[in-house]
C-alpha cells in the first residue's frame, strides 16, 4: 500500500470544493455519472478502433446503489477503468485533465474526437461536497492489477491493490451527516431523472416488477406472472440524437410527451436542429400553443451537454424570444458550470444563438410556403413568439417579412407586402402616406370598425400585448406608413383626404356651443372638439389619440411610454362634436336648460357606451334616464 498527498496548490482544497466550487451540492451525482459515462464511451471507442485487444465492449450499464444502513452511495461503471499510474495522474494530480491526452492519442481517421469530452478531475472531487470519505475501486481494461484508492477529505490518500476482477470503476461515497438527504431513494431517483434522463449509457437504479402476459391456458382469476427487472431510469437514445430522416411525426410527438408528461396539448410543430460546423449542436424545439402572457411561458427549454442536463434557464444561449418555446438543445461547446454573464459574452454561444434564430426563421418560412392555410390557422397560437422576435432580433425581423401575418377583422390574412398592395389605392392620405387601420378588440371597437368598413377600408385585428412596440419598429423602417387604431379619431380624420366637409353652423353658433359644452362636460376627462363631419356620422364621438394610447400600451409591457411617464397619466379622451348632425343643432336651439343638459348627457353617454367607457353607477343612471325619456 502506498500513501501520499494529493497534488493541490492549497493546504486543503476540500472545504473550498464543498463551499464554493458549485452552488448546488446535488450536482455531485451528475458529475460522477458523467465521468462513468465518459469512461464507458472511451471503452466503446477503443474497442471500435481496435485498441483494446481481447476486450469485448458488450452491453455495459452504469449502476447506482444505495445502502442507507451503512450510509453509502455507490456509482459503478463497466468502462475503461484505471491503472495505478492513471489513478496517480487523473485522481491525485487534481489540476490535470486526462481528456486532452486521450483524445490526441485516439483521434479517429477524420480527426474528430468522437464526442469524447469527459475527464476525471474537479468533477470527481465534487463528491466531497456530500461525502466524508470517498473510495475508488478500479480495474483497467489493460492487463494490470485493480487498485483501491481512499481519501477522507484531507489532502492525504491511500492507494493499494484490490481484488476486483471485472473492468470498470466503482465510486463509494460515505455520505456525511449534513448530506443524509442523499441516502433517500426518492431523492436519488429525482436527481437521476433530472440530470441523467437521457444519458447515452443505460443507468440502473434498483429493480422494478414487470408484469408478463398470461399463458394461453391461464384462468381468468389467475394473477398475471411477474418478474424482477433492472430499473433503467434513462432513455439512452433520445430523439434529438437521431437524424431527422430517421424520425416520423409520431416520434416527435412521443418525445414531446416524454419531455413534458404533464402537458396534454400536442405541440403545433417542431424544428429539428442538427449542425456540426462551426460548432456542434443538436436539439428539437417545439412550438406549443401560446397565450398573450409571455411571463408564464419561459424556462421550458432544457439545455444538455452530451446528453447531460445542465439547466432549463437558457437565456443567453437561446434568443430571448425563443425562450417561450419548449424542447431540448444539446451542445458540447457549452460549458457545464459557468456564469450566465460568461455565456452571454462567449463567441461560440453567440454563434449558437444566431444559428437557432436562422433555423427557426427558415422553418417558419418553409411552413408558410408549403401550407399557407395551415399556417394561418396556427397564427394566433404562435404570433406572440414571432412578433416578439421581430421586435428584438433584427435578423429575424428581416426574414419574418416573408411569413409574418396581419389578420383582418374579416379573418383574412396578409403579409406586409400583400397588405400594402391591397390598401394602397384606398388608404393613402393626401400626403401620400399609407395608413394601416387596426382594431384590438372587435366587440369594444365595433362601431368604429363598422364606420371604417363603410368607407371601404381594410381593418386589421392586432391584439397581442406588444404590437404597439412593433408598430414603432415598422414605422421606423418606412416613413411612408403609419398604423392607426380605428378609435383614435373620427373616420374622416383617420385617413385625411382632400375633400373637407362644410359646417352647417356659423362661427358664432360654434363658439356658443363650445362655451356651453365646456361648462357642462368635465375637462379632466374630455377635450371637446367641434368638427364638420358627414351628417350621417354620430353626433358625439369619443376618440383617444394614437400617440397617447400607444405610449400607454407600451408602458404596460415595458419601454416606450415609461420614458414619458405615460403610465401615470389620467384617462383622457377627445370628444368630437359633429356640427352637421341634426341633434347638435337641436341642442344648440333648445331653450329649456334642463332639457338641453339632458340631451347633452344622453348623447355623451351613448358615445361613452360605444367606447365601452360607461360602467357601474353611471351606466345605471344612463339606463334610468333613457327609460324616462321614452315614457
Amino acid at each position: 500500500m502506498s500513501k501520499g498527498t494529493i497534488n493541490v496548490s492549497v493546504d486543503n482544497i476540500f472545504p473550498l470544493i464543498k463551499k464554493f466550487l458549485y452552488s448546488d451540492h446535488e450536482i455531485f451525482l451528475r458529475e460522477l455519472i458523467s465521468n462513468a459515462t465518459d469512461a464507458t464511451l472511451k471503452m466503446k471507442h477503443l474497442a471500435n478502433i481496435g485498441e483494446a485487444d481481447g476486450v469485448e465492449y458488450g452491453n455495459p450499464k452504469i449502476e447506482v446503489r444505495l445502502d442507507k444502513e451503512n450510509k453509502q452511495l455507490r456509482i459503478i461503471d463497466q468502462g475503461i477503468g484505471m491503472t495505478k499510474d492513471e489513478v496517480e495522474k487523473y485522481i491525485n494530480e487534481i489540476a490535470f485533465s486526462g481528456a486532452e491526452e486521450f483524445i490526441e492519442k485516439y483521434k479517429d481517421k477524420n480527426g474528430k474526437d468522437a464526442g469524447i469530452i469527459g475527464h476525471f478531475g474537479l468533477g470527481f472531487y465534487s463528491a466531497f461536497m456530500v461525502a466524508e470519505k470517498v473510495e475508488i475501486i478500479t480495474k483497467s481494461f489493460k492487463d494490470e492489477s485493480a487498485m483501491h484508492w481512499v481519501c477522507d477529505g484531507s489532502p492525504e490518500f491511500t492507494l493499494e491493490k484490490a481484488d476486483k476482477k471485472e473492468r470498470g470503476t466503482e465510486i463509494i461515497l460515505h455520505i456525511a451527516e449534513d448530506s443524509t438527504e442523499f441516502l433517500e431513494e426518492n431523492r436519488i431517483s429525482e436527481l437521476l431523472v433530472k440530470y441523467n434522463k437521457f444519458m447515452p449509457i443505460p443507468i440502473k437504479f434498483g429493480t422494478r416488477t414487470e408484469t408478463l402476459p398470461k399463458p394461453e391456458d391461464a384462468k381468468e382469476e389467475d394473477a398475471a406472472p411477474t418478474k424482477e427487472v433492472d430499473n433503467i431510469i434513462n432513455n439512452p437514445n433520445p430523439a434529438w440524437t437521431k437524424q431527422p430522416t430517421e424520425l416520423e411525426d409520431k416520434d416527435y410527438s412521443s418525445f414531446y410527451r416524454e419531455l413534458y408528461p404533464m402537458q396534454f396539448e400536442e405541440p403545433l410543430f417542431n424544428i429539428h436542429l442538427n449542425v456540426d460546423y462551426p460548432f456542434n449542436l443538436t436539439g428539437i424545439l417545439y412550438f406549443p400553443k401560446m397565450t398573450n402572457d409571455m411571463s408564464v411561458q419561459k424556462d421550458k427549454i432544457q439545455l444538455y451537454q452530451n446528453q447531460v442536463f445542465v439547466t432549463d434557464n437558457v437565456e443567453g444561449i437561446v434568443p430571448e424570444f425563443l425562450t417561450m418555446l419548449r424542447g431540448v438543445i444539446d451542445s458540447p461547446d457549452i460549458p457545464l458550470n459557468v456564469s450566465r454573464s460568461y455565456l452571454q459574452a462567449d463567441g461560440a454561444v453567440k454563434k449558437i444563438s444566431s444559428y437557432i434564430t436562422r433555423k427557426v426563421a427558415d422553418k417558419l418560412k418553409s411552413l408558410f410556403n408549403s401550407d399557407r392555410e395551415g399556417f394561418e390557422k396556427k397564427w394566433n397560437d404562435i404570433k406572440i413568439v414571432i412578433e416578439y422576435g421581430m421586435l428584438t432580433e433584427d435578423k429575424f425581423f428581416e426574414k419574418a417579412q416573408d411569413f409574418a401575418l396581419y389578420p383582418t377583422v374579416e379573418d383574412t390574412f396578409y403579409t406586409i407586402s400583400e397588405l400594402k398592395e391591397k390598401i394602397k389605392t384606398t388608404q393613402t392620405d393626401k400626403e401620400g402616406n399609407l395608413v394601416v387601420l387596426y382594431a384590438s378588440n372587435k366587440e369594444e371597437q365595433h362601431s368604429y370598425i363598422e364606420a371604417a368598413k363603410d368607407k371601404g377600408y381594410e381593418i386589421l385585428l392586432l391584439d397581442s400585448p406588444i404590437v404597439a412596440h412593433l408598430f414603432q419598429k415598422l414605422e421606423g423602417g418606412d416613413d411612408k406608413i403609419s398604423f392607426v387604431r380605428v378609435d383614435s379619431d373620427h373616420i374622416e380624420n383617420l385617413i385625411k383626404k382632400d375633400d373637407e366637409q362644410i359646417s352647417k353652423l356659423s362661427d358664432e353658433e360654434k363658439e356658443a356651443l363650445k362655451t356651453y359644452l365646456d361648462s357642462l362636460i368635465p375637462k379632466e376627462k374630455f377635450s371637446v372638439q367641434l368638427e364638420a363631419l358627414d351628417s350621417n356620422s354620430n353626433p358625439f364621438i369619443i376618440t383617444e389619440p394614437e400617440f397617447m394610447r400607444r405610449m400607454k400600451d407600451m408602458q404596460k409591457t415595458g419601454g416606450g411610454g415609461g420614458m414619458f411617464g405615460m403610465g401615470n397619466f389620467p384617462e383622457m379622451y377627445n370628444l368630437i362634436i359633429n356640427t352637421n348632425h341634426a341633434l347638435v343643432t337641436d341642442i344648440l336651439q333648445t331653450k329649456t336648460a334642463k332639457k338641453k343638459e339632458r340631451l347633452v348627457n344622453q348623447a355623451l353617454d351613448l358615445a361613452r357606451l360605444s367606447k365601452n367607457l360607461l360602467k357601474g353607477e353611471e351606466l345605471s343612471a344612463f339606463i334610468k334616464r333613457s327609460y324616462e325619456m321614452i315614457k
Side-chain angles (χ1 to χ4, degrees):
M1 180 176 76
S2 65
K3 295 183 179 180
T5 302
I6 294 169
N7 180 20
V8 292
S9 57
V10 294
D11 288 340
N12 193 340
I13 198 171
F14 298 107
L16 296 177
I17 287 173
K18 191 154 190 170
K19 192 169 183 182
F20 299 115
L21 181 59
Y22 299 104
S23 60
D24 197 345
H25 287 185
E26 70 178 33
I27 58 82
F28 82 93
L29 191 58
R30 180 191 76 182
E31 296 293 321
L32 296 179
I33 290 182
S34 294
N35 285 343
T37 301
D38 293 333
T40 309
L41 291 176
K42 286 176 181 178
M43 189 67 255
K44 181 180 181 180
H45 185 59
L46 293 180
N48 287 343
I49 64 173
E51 291 283 345
D53 292 340
V55 178
E56 286 189 21
Y57 177 66
N59 296 296
K61 60 178 175 283
I62 296 165
E63 183 175 1
V64 178
R65 289 184 193 165
L66 197 57
D67 182 351
K68 189 171 182 177
E69 185 177 341
N70 292 308
K71 297 183 179 179
Q72 293 179 4
L73 181 67
R74 297 171 182 243
I75 295 94
I76 305 162
D77 70 57
Q78 298 162 3
I80 195 172
M82 287 182 286
T83 63
K84 180 177 185 293
D85 289 344
E86 287 166 342
V87 172
E88 293 277 8
K89 190 172 188 179
Y90 298 138
I91 300 299
N92 297 339
E93 296 181 18
I94 176 174
F96 181 78
S97 164
E100 288 184 23
E101 181 187 60
F102 184 89
I103 291 167
E104 188 62 36
K105 184 175 180 181
Y106 295 112
K107 274 183 180 175
D108 66 20
K109 294 176 182 176
N110 297 320
K112 295 180 181 177
D113 62 13
I116 300 167
I117 307 297
H119 60 278
F120 283 91
L122 283 176
F124 162 72
Y125 278 90
S126 66
F128 286 95
M129 292 190 298
V130 301
E132 60 188 14
K133 182 169 78 171
V134 178
E135 300 180 58
I136 301 173
I137 303 171
T138 183
K139 172 80 169 68
S140 173
F141 75 99
K142 301 170 186 174
D143 188 19
E144 294 195 29
S145 298
M147 300 304 298
H148 184 187
W149 180 93
V150 183
C151 180
D152 64 359
S154 68
E156 284 79 33
F157 66 88
T158 62
L159 181 62
E160 60 184 340
K161 290 183 179 180
D163 60 0
K164 179 177 170 64
K165 303 297 185 218
E166 307 82 18
R167 75 161 192 268
T169 299
E170 178 174 355
I171 310 288
I172 306 169
L173 306 184
H174 298 262
I175 301 298
E177 286 300 324
D178 62 357
S179 299
T180 54
E181 64 179 287
F182 301 112
L183 291 171
E184 299 297 330
E185 186 175 330
N186 287 344
R187 182 71 168 123
I188 296 301
S189 181
E190 171 199 335
L191 294 180
L192 290 172
V193 170
K194 178 178 179 179
Y195 290 111
N196 307 110
K197 187 176 180 180
F198 299 111
M199 292 291 279
I201 305 298
I203 299 169
K204 174 186 174 182
F205 184 51
T207 60
R208 60 183 175 83
T209 303
E210 187 174 271
T211 302
L212 302 174
K214 285 185 179 183
E216 288 184 10
D217 58 350
K219 297 176 181 178
E220 188 175 339
E221 62 269 19
D222 290 347
T226 61
K227 70 172 181 177
E228 287 295 302
V229 297
D230 289 349
N231 180 34
I232 303 298
I233 60 92
N234 60 321
N235 172 3
N237 301 295
W240 84 80
T241 64
K242 302 172 183 176
Q243 292 296 319
T245 52
E246 300 176 55
L247 300 170
E248 299 177 2
D249 288 344
K250 64 179 181 181
D251 298 312
Y252 288 111
S253 179
S254 175
F255 182 58
Y256 184 76
R257 286 193 295 274
E258 191 175 351
L259 284 173
Y260 310 105
M262 301 306 292
Q263 182 66 38
F264 301 110
E265 279 192 335
E266 288 290 313
L268 299 166
F269 53 86
N270 65 76
I271 299 169
H272 197 133
L273 306 168
N274 194 343
V275 63
D276 56 14
Y277 181 83
F279 47 81
N280 289 296
L281 181 137
T282 55
I284 300 172
L285 296 179
Y286 293 91
F287 267 75
K289 287 189 175 183
M290 297 290 174
T291 70
N292 279 345
D293 185 359
M294 293 180 287
S295 63
V296 302
Q297 303 287 340
K298 294 189 176 185
D299 294 341
K300 300 293 185 183
I301 295 176
Q302 299 174 14
L303 177 67
Y304 288 76
Q305 188 212 64
N306 290 326
Q307 296 177 236
V308 182
F309 176 77
V310 180
T311 181
D312 57 7
N313 184 339
V314 294
E315 289 180 31
I317 301 164
V318 173
E320 187 178 358
F321 76 101
L322 294 178
T323 58
M324 291 181 280
L325 302 187
R326 292 177 182 160
V328 165
I329 291 172
D330 190 332
S331 175
D333 295 327
I334 297 171
L336 273 176
N337 299 300
V338 293
S339 67
R340 195 180 307 166
S341 60
Y342 173 88
L343 285 175
Q344 290 170 341
D346 186 71
V349 170
K350 287 180 178 177
K351 288 177 183 174
I352 288 171
S353 178
S354 179
Y355 165 78
I356 293 172
T357 299
R358 186 176 75 251
K359 187 75 174 178
V360 168
D362 290 346
K363 176 70 173 184
L364 291 167
K365 185 176 180 180
S366 171
L367 289 168
F368 174 81
N369 290 339
S370 62
D371 181 13
R372 175 159 181 168
E373 184 179 351
F375 192 81
E376 289 178 356
K377 287 178 180 176
K378 294 184 178 81
W379 178 254
N380 280 332
D381 292 316
I382 63 175
K383 65 184 178 185
I384 191 73
V385 174
I386 295 174
E387 290 170 352
Y388 191 34
M390 293 171 69
L391 188 63
T392 56
E393 297 279 337
D394 287 339
K395 288 183 179 177
F396 185 80
F397 178 85
E398 292 168 15
K399 288 179 172 288
Q401 303 305 303
D402 294 331
F403 56 76
L405 292 177
Y406 297 85
T408 72
V409 292
E410 304 290 347
D411 293 322
T412 54
F413 292 81
Y414 300 105
T415 63
I416 192 68
S417 58
E418 292 168 347
L419 180 66
K420 289 178 178 178
E421 185 64 29
K422 172 74 176 175
I423 67 175
K424 67 180 182 181
T425 55
T426 55
Q427 292 177 222
T428 301
D429 67 13
K430 63 182 181 181
E431 304 295 334
N433 298 314
L434 198 63
V435 180
V436 179
L437 299 180
Y438 73 97
S440 60
N441 188 303
K442 284 170 74 170
E443 300 300 321
E444 292 181 5
Q445 295 148 21
H446 181 266
S447 62
Y448 301 89
I449 293 170
E450 291 303 306
K453 285 165 66 175
D454 288 344
K455 287 279 190 181
Y457 296 153
E458 200 76 60
I459 306 105
L460 302 181
L461 180 61
L462 303 173
D463 58 1
S464 73
I466 58 171
V467 288
H469 296 274
L470 187 57
F471 295 154
Q472 297 290 104
K473 184 155 189 169
L474 289 164
E475 291 167 346
D478 184 353
D479 60 5
K480 301 297 285 183
I481 191 171
S482 61
F483 289 77
V484 180
R485 206 166 84 175
V486 287
D487 59 348
S488 62
D489 209 333
H490 66 77
I491 192 63
E492 306 296 335
N493 271 354
L494 287 176
I495 305 174
K496 281 280 193 181
K497 303 289 186 178
D498 287 328
D499 47 335
E500 291 188 10
Q501 293 279 346
I502 298 172
S503 177
K504 291 180 181 179
L505 302 184
S506 66
D507 290 343
E508 292 80 7
E509 288 174 319
K510 286 192 285 187
E511 187 174 341
L513 179 64
K514 180 77 161 57
T515 301
Y516 173 70
L517 292 173
D518 282 342
S519 69
L520 190 63
I521 294 171
K523 292 183 176 63
E524 67 276 10
K525 290 185 178 179
F526 298 101
S527 172
V528 177
Q529 300 173 9
L530 303 187
E531 299 267 3
L533 308 178
D534 189 290
S535 59
N536 292 320
S537 296
N538 290 341
F540 284 27
I541 303 168
I542 294 173
T543 64
E544 186 175 13
E546 175 70 18
F547 173 78
M548 290 284 288
R549 198 217 68 261
R550 191 186 294 187
M551 288 299 106
K552 289 178 187 175
D553 287 349
M554 290 172 69
Q555 193 271 342
K556 290 175 187 174
T557 52
M563 301 175 199
F564 305 101
M566 296 296 175
N568 300 320
F569 270 38
E571 291 295 317
M572 187 74 184
Y573 299 92
N574 291 338
L575 176 60
I576 297 169
I577 311 299
N578 181 4
T579 60
N580 288 337
H581 196 282
L583 177 61
V584 174
T585 303
D586 288 346
I587 291 170
L588 187 63
Q589 295 174 353
T590 296
K591 303 302 181 186
T592 308
K594 189 173 181 179
K595 181 181 179 183
K596 193 172 190 175
E597 182 177 337
R598 188 171 63 179
L599 286 174
V600 170
N601 286 334
Q602 190 72 4
L604 175 61
D605 282 353
L606 285 166
R608 293 170 73 197
L609 195 62
S610 71
K611 183 71 173 166
N612 201 38
L613 294 175
L614 199 60
K615 296 172 183 175
E617 186 179 341
E618 292 177 325
L619 178 59
S620 299
F622 165 74
I623 294 170
K624 183 178 179 182
R625 185 175 63 243
S626 299
Y627 279 132
E628 289 173 353
M629 291 178 71
I630 61 175
K631 281 181 181 177

